[in-house]
Every structure is written in structure tokens, then in C-alpha cells.
Amino acid sequence: MGDMTNSDFYSKNQRNESSHGGEFGCTMEELRSLMELRGTEAVVKIKETYGDTEAICRRLKTSPVEGLPGTAPDLEKRKQIFGQNFIPPKKPKTFLQLVWEALQDVTLIILEIAAIISLGLSFYHPPGESNEGCATAQGGAEDEGEAEAGWIEGAAILLSVICVVLVTAFNDWSKEKQFRGLQSRIEQEQKFTVVRAGQVVQIPVAEIVVGDIAQVKYGDLLPADGLFIQGNDLKIDESSLTGESDQVRKSVDKDPMLLSGTHVMEGSGRMVVTAVGVNSQTGIIFTLLGAGGEEEEKKDKKAKQQDGAAAMEMQPLKSAEGGDADDKKKANMHKKEKSVLQGKLTKLAVQIGKAGLVMSAITVIILVLYFTVDTFVVNKKPWLPECTPVYVQYFVKFFIIGVTVLVVAVPEGLPLAVTISLAYSVKKMMKDNNLVRHLDACETMGNATAICSDKTGTLTTNRMTVVQAYVGDVHYKEIPDPNSINAKTMELLVNAIAINSAYTTKILPPEKEGALPRQVGNKTECGLLGFVLDLKQDYEPVRSQMPEEKLYKVYTFNSVRKSMSTVTKLPDESFRMYSKGASEIVLKKCCKILNGAGEPRVFRPRDRDEMVKKVIEPMACDGLRTICVAYRDFPSSPEPDWDNENDILNDLTCICVVGIEDPVRPEVPEAIRKCQRAGITVRMVTGDNINTARAIAIKCGIIHPGEDFLCLEGKEFNRRIRNEKGEIEQERIDKIWPKLRVLARSSPTDKHTLVKGIIDSTHTEQRQVVAVTGDGTNDGPALKKADVGFAMGIAGTDVAKEASDIILTDDNFSSIVKAVMWGRNVYDSISKFLQFQLTVNVVAVIVAFTGACITQDSPLKAVQMLWVNLIMDTFASLALATEPPTETLLLRKPYGRNKPLISRTMMKNILGHAVYQLTLIFTLLFVGEKMFQIDSGRNAPLHSPPSEHYTIIFNTFVMMQLFNEINARKIHGERNVFDGIFRNPIFCTIVLGTFAIQIVIVQFGGKPFSCSPLQLDQWMWCIFIGLGELVWGQVIATIPTSRLKFLKEAGRLTQKEEIPEEELNEDVEEIDHAERELRRGQILWFRGLNRIQTQIEVVNTFKSGASFQGALRRQSSVTSQSQDVANLSSPSRVSLSNALSSPTSLPPAAAGHSRREGVP
């Protein structure tokens, strides 16, 4: 089913429709065209064609109150006629397509060509067999048998290329599979509330059928199209479909159309579902975008761009398509901004690649020159036509050696290591209750320096219980005895709580014996309902007497009102309004209060101040949320103007004030301590009042008494950060945020302002990396703005989940600490792999290069190099990228964005081990035959049999790498490299596996691998030299890094990628006096380079469709000479928008560093 393309899907539905249309009073086509209308047109159309929405419900055989009967045959029939609520996914790439993509790699293509030429030449025998005299330059002639084996090398190279390609393709394939698995996991978790057979049930979105009665509420993302039946104050954000940012108010008589993929911003209500899946408005758009297969191929490129845009807008239809849309969404975002790690890696890989290219070119040139000079000049051989193939064969051999050097130099294992490491982490993070939606969020989290967390539900358990109350002039410190409360007051209280709360909020009996009752719905309301039950009253009869349909008007809770009110019509036609909300807000609107006898008495402002002091503040200081419950009566005529909220929500009579406790989660204080130890500042941003917030913050350990910190309320925060005109000023924020720990009574915009202020701050030398947690719809902007947004999996609304990068499946703060640990681990894994990889690269390249120059033949043959490349790149990336994280990762400060990938310590390790390996290999190369009493392998002729000598070199080389792999497990200069090695079975398996394969290659590899079998003692020596690596590692660890000032770091993001243009220019002026001495010639050379960079950048910018002005602006900022020199860093491939969004000011020293790296 999932593989059907949309067109089949349509035709199938059309066919069904003609046969079944009669069973229901309207066909799919009619409903679809109805849903395309908006506003009044729709109302008119419904009136003309159907009568009213009730009539449509009758035609769809559903009841507005009871919903569908929910029997299996009925649901099945509806699915057949009206379609299912999911959009068939795009087919995943097949394995063959992935193989084809892996083959596009340039180095591999070069190798293939070289191998094919080599193969072709080995089968070509020139006439006359007179080639004995052709090339004596290389020593003895070859015997016939060897000439036959000439094809083996070519074939072996092809084979190893195939190996590399298959491994790469397999990795891509498993990554794709994992991603789809993740996506489907996210989808299964998305449920929606519908009414079936009179019961309110939650079902997976894909199960929704036409005719279902769905309950929509604040924060929902509509999963299908429908018609509004009944509800209150429902406002919808339809910008994802229409682009209009204004919220649309829905009502039965003005605009009843509810569309899939739109967000409910306020209110609640019920709708009857009229179109699902590909027939819903979002589905139709997806179909046009070619989410199905056929047109896709033709318009592939075009569709992709639009698809990205649409996918970003219409994620909500979390169908199987979700995976794909998400992928595209990611692709789109990444053109704009790579994650820090990717930026550093790309840059490093480019630099290494360039160096490798130069080395391999030089190798080939030297080999060719030496051969031609030696043959034609020194030995004065004429170029005979019949010798041509032999010479060509030599040249091909040299070319293959050159390409091999290049292959070894390019660390193609890097992207692989990153992918494996991220994919592995994401999989494991699932177990730690982190559902990662964007892969790079996991690595960014390791660099986090600040976490802005919600209070309710994240730091606290979100299980609200009323523990104190102020009723009838008495402050009860625990739940009062029901008999002590006046009967009139009691009745008002029960009605006010039962009616003035969402009817979906209930308290159900516990699932297990002895457990706490289950709270369903809004937790604060659950706390109040619990209070009613604790007073030995029952709220159900009150609700059944006054069902939801009879409520006259509802002012739903939102972040502006901070209160909720419900108006009911009393039997005598007059109105009564019940209100509840944050106590300081509702009490301001009260002018009376019920006394002990249940009679209202006057409540003056000074009484209020006294109450705040005596009741509310003590409650708040115990960490309780205070809620005030009140009511007001209105006459039946004249009917009040309900839309004039200010007049309506006034002159209230206070019934009671309750203190609700939301206990701190037991594991939170420890988690926060870990964060603080790891250099991460935790800030609490909450809507609660400041005393409650401060009390909870102290309980959590966010603030410690006696420290210098700020706790602000939203109003005060805004007053401090805005200038006279009311504009936000960055320098004002910079004065506040470093000390701010608690922001109370904050609105969503305050949260966004704070996050943006911290991210944009240049107050610290490292740019702050901010993580934010949120659960409400209004947290969306802050979650999007943050570097990493965490949404709550249980309490979070769909909108919050959409905006987030990671979903906390258990809503628990301590899971964030796990995310930090995994993020840092990813970073370290990559560094470990780099340290190992670069040692191999340096050694292999130097050996191949010098060997080729001195002995006209690389001691490590092409196939051997490819094997080394395969184990060192692919296997090592697997082994080192899957190291599990340890608690010690949380003992250091975050790395920050400018920290180089390769630290001094790592550089010391790389160069130190390279020195050891090179010394031994060259010793073996030049005096090895004497040490082992074997024939020298140097200067062997073309196609001569493999020598023991070179086999020993190859074997030793691999042994050293294997033991160095163990050294690479530690990158901060630790002594014990075996620490925790058995916790990583993958690592052990790979090391032992590589060792086993190496034995097979050496003993039985023969001609293809250019190996001849070795004796036991020779093996022992190889292993012994390898073991020397571990000892040498200890020696290196003893050298203090601080002494090695000359070592450069590599792989940092240089200033140009980090600082916006304007600052860059001022910066340059300050630091540039020293550079002015650079000779004029150099300056011209740099300027030339810069021009080229700018041109490359313009081209790239066009390719990625980023801002062209960005490139131009850079060109203009690169005009004066002094700046030319300052902008030496490699061309930044980050569009301007990125540079502007992260203004990190580099300290002059660091800026100097990046410049000293010189030209890539």
C-alpha cells in the first residue's frame, strides 16, 4: 500500500467511489470540492446543497454527539470509499541507486580508469616479443609466468573499489532506514482525540476516517479537513496553507472550514472530518508537488525546491511522507547553515584533499621524469614503436601509484565517521528518552552553554495537588474539613471548578491498586478537580446537568488573559460567569469576597494588599502556585456585551484562593548540578509568580542562597532591556543575562527575546549555544530560535514538537543532561577518529612519496593502500565512533564554536606517532633485508613476484595502525588507553577482525595483494614493532603539551565564518599593524587568491541559491590590502545570513591563529 504512487491511489479511490458512492449521502468528490471553499462561500454552499452541518453528519452516517459507532466493517468501508489518512511516501532510494551515487566519487573514478587501462595493457602483447631490450632500466627481465599475472593488479584494484563502494552504499542505506524508522516512530506517537460510540478516545492520526467527530483544542495541529460543529472561541493559524499570518476565528455560521495542517491557537471545539489523506487540502498540495513517483523524475529538480518549501510548511500531516519531507527540510536548511562540526570537518577535509593532490601530482611527475631520463638519456635507448606498450604500462603503473597516494590522503572516512557516530548516538539516545528529529542537534547539544528550561512538567512532576486553601476568611494549611465550609460557598466552589474547566479534563481511578488516581487533561485543572474530590464532593453530576453544549460563552485560557471564564445561563434567564486564574491577576478584578457565612462582603484594594501579604506570598514562598476562583452574576436584560472583555471580567466576587503544589522531580537537582559542573548555566523561564519560581529554583539548585544572581519578572525584564522608544537593545540585554537565573511571569515573547539576546550576545568570547525546553504552542518561536529546541513528548503540543529538534519522551530534565553527554561524545568520537586517521594518512603519504622518489616504486602497493584505506577509514570509523559516553565527559567545560577539531594534544599525538612509524618503516625499507637476511625488494622490475621484504613492511605498517587504534581512544592525553575498552564490543570485534583478515591477506593474498607468506619469527617482529606503538604512546603522553608552542591546531572555523562583515572590518584594523610588514609581493599573491575565492564563492552561492549579495558584500569588504591579508582563511561557504546570525567576536589571539594557518 505504502508504495502506491498517488496517481494509482487516486484512480483506485475514484473507481471505488463510483461503486459505493450511494451508501453515503455524498461522494468524496463533492466533499473535496466543498473543502476548497472558504468563509461565506462555504456557508452558502452548505446551506444550498446540504442544509446545515447536522445534515452533512446525517449523510455521513455519524452523530455530532456520539460520533461513529466505531465498528471495524464500518471503518473499513469508510477507508475504502474516502481514502485513508496518510499520504503514500516517496519510494526510498534502492540499494543500486546508492551504489551508483557512491561511484560518483572522483578519486574512485580515477582509480577505476587507471585499473582498466592497466588491465587492458596486461592482455596486450606486442608482436615480435622484442620487448626484452625496451626497459632494462628497471633491472632483470621477467619470466613468462609473471607476464601472465599482469592482470591481477588491475583486477585487485577494481575489486577493492567495489568493496569501498559497497560499504559506503550500505552505510547510506542503513542511515536512510534508520531515519525512516525514526520518522515512523514519531508518527506512531502522534495521536488525536475523537469521539466514537459516545466515548472520547485517542487514536493514531492515520486511523482517522471521514465521518469521525474530532475534538480540537488549543495547541493541536489538525490532522484532516473537517467542518466545525460546535465549540468556543476557536482561533486557527492558517498561515501554513494560506500564508496569512492573522488568526482566523471559526464559527458555524461564518467560517466553519477547518483545514489539515493548520494550528489551533486558541479555544476548543468539535469537528466532523470530511476529507483525509491525499484528498485533504494539505494532501492535494503534496500530490501537486509530486510526492508520488511519475512526474517526479521529469520535474525532479523543480519539485525538489518547492517540496522543500512545502515540507517546511506542511510537516503536520505526519504521514509516511513525513520522513521525506523532513529530509528535504533538512537539506534545505543545511544549505543555509551547516552544523559547527560539519563546517569544521568540510574545511579540514578540503585542506587535506588539496595537500594529497599536490603530493600525488609530485609523485607521478618525479616517477615519470626519473624513468624517462634514466631510459632515454642515461642509457640512450631509442623509442621503439614495438616498445610503446611496455612504456605505457610503466606510465600507467606510475599513475596508479600517484592515484593511490591521493586515495590514502583523502580521508573519505570522515563523512562516514560523522554519519555513523550520529546515527549510533541517535539510536542510543532513544533509550535515554531523547527522540532526535534533526541529526545535527545531537552534536550541537555537546556545545551547549546555556539551557533555558520551563518549570512546570520539566523541573517538576506536573502532578498538581491542592495543599493549602483560603476559604471563608480562613487560611487552611492543609485540605479543610468539608463540614467547616459553608454550604452555599461549597456549592459555588464545586460549580465554579467543575463547569469552568475543559470537560476533557478528568480524574480517573488508578490503573493499579495503590497507585495515585490518573490525571487526564490540563494538570492545573486536574489539581482543582482533585480538590473537589478531597472535599468529598463530586464534579460529574454538575457537568452532566450542564453539558458542554449548553455553556453560553467561554473565554478560554491564553497567555495574555492568564485566566479562564465560562458564562452559564441560570434557570431564571440571568447569567452567571465563573472565573479562575493566577491569583494576583484575578484578585485585582475582585471587588467582593465570600465571608465565613457564604455572604459577599466588600473587598477593597487595601484588603487585597493584606491578603497578598498574609496568604498569597507565604503560599508562593512554599513553592505553591496560587489560583483564585471567582464568580459574577449578570442580569438577563439588557444582555451584557460579551465581546467587551474588560467590562465583563470585572467586579468579580472571590470564592477562594488555593495553593497548588507541583513537586520538584527527585532526579532534577542532581541533573542540574551535573550541568553546572559541565559549564552549562541553567535558567528557569516560567509563567508562575516570582516567589513560587524562586522557591522552586532554590529547591532545584538553580540558585544558591548568597550567590550573586537575578530573579526578574517579565515586566521588569522588559523595562530593563528596552530604551525610551521601547526598542530592545542588545547592550542592555548583555547587562542582564549573565546573572539572570529566573524569569517569572514571562510571556512567550519574553522567552524568545531572552534566547535571542543570549545567542546574539558578543559579551563573552565564545558565542553562547542555547538549548530551550518548551511544551506550549506559544513556545514555538523560542524553540525555533534556539540552537537546540527540546519539546515535551507527553505534555507538549504538536506545534511545539514541530518546532523542536529533540523530543523528550519522558518530559524529564535529566534526559537533557544525557543529550549533552551524547553530544559531547559525538564530538570526541570524531576527534578520536581524526587523530587516528591523520596519523595513517601522514605516514602512508610520506612512505609512498619518498619510496617512489628513491626506489621508483611505492613500498605499499595500490591494493595494499586500498586495504589500509578500507580498514583505517571504514572500520576505524565504526570502531571509534561507537564509543559509549562516560560521566567524565560532563567534567569539562563546553568546547565552544571556535575550538579547533584537532587540539594541540592531538597534534602532538599525530606527529609523535607518525615519527615512530616513519622511522621504523624507513629502517625496514633500507636495511630490512639485512636484518631479516632476505632478498631486497627494492628496484624490482615490472610484474616481478612479491617480495618478503615489502610484505614485512606492509604487515608492520598495518600492525602499527592496529595498536595505534587503541591509542586513539583517548584524546586528552590520558594514560590508560585501555580504560573501558570492554564496554565497547564493536571496537574489540573490529580490532580482532582486522587482525584476522590481515593474517589471511599476508599468508594467502599472494599476487593480488603483492604479499608473500611470512615465517613465524617475522610475524613476531611485526607484532612486536606494533606493540611498540603502545609504549611510544606513553612516552608521548609524558611530553607536556604546553611546551610545544610551535604545534598549530587545525580545523577551526575561522573568523570569516563567524563574524559579521561590519565587525570584521573594525577588527581587522586593530590587529593588522603586524601584518603590514608582509612583503608587497605576498600581498598581491594573496589578493589574487582572494579574487579566486570570491569567484568560487559566487558560483557556490548561486548553486546553493543563497544570498548573492552575501558574496558581493564579501567582495567589497575585501578591497583594502590590509584586509586582504586578514581574510586568508579558506573561502567560507556559509551564506551571509549565517554569518550575521552568529556574531562571535574572536579575541585577537584567536584571530591571529586562524590567520597563521596560512593559505589552504
Side-chain angles (χ1 to χ4, degrees), residues 143-190:
D143 29 17
E144 277 306 297
E146 291 308 329
E148 298 306 305
W151 61 273
I152 293 183
E153 185 166 29
I157 293 179
L158 282 180
L159 197 74
S160 38
V161 166
I162 290 170
C163 268
V164 173
V165 166
L166 287 177
V167 170
T168 319
F170 178 73
N171 272 308
D172 286 346
W173 179 77
S174 58
K175 181 177 105 191
E176 171 113 339
K177 193 167 140 230
Q178 248 172 354
F179 196 77
R180 283 184 180 260
L182 183 71
Q183 216 41 53
S184 64
R185 159 110 192 240
I186 294 178
E187 278 141 39
Q188 282 152 13
E189 294 201 341
Q190 206 198 2

Side-chain angles (χ1 to χ4, degrees), residues 440-505:
D440 50 355
C442 139
E443 159 250 321
T444 313
M445 204 46 218
N447 287 329
T449 54
I451 297 175
C452 296
S453 171
D454 271 4
K455 176 181 77 73
T456 312
T458 316
L459 299 172
T460 58
T461 53
N462 203 7
R463 198 189 157 82
M464 310 273 186
T465 38
V466 173
V467 288
Q468 295 188 20
Y470 179 87
V471 191
D473 295 341
V474 188
H475 183 177
Y476 298 94
K477 294 285 185 180
E478 58 250 355
I479 300 287
D481 174 31
N483 303 326
S484 63
I485 296 176
N486 177 291
K488 271 200 292 199
T489 310
M490 182 67 98
E491 190 194 356
L492 270 171
L493 178 62
V494 174
N495 279 344
I497 291 177
I499 293 173
N500 186 27
S501 59
Y503 279 31
T504 46
T505 305

Side-chain angles (χ1 to χ4, degrees), residues 235-239 242-249 265:
K235 288 190 185 148
I236 306 265
D237 169 13
E238 294 190 346
S239 59
T242 59
E244 297 289 321
S245 56
D246 295 346
Q247 296 178 9
V248 186
R249 200 191 197 106
M265 299 313 275

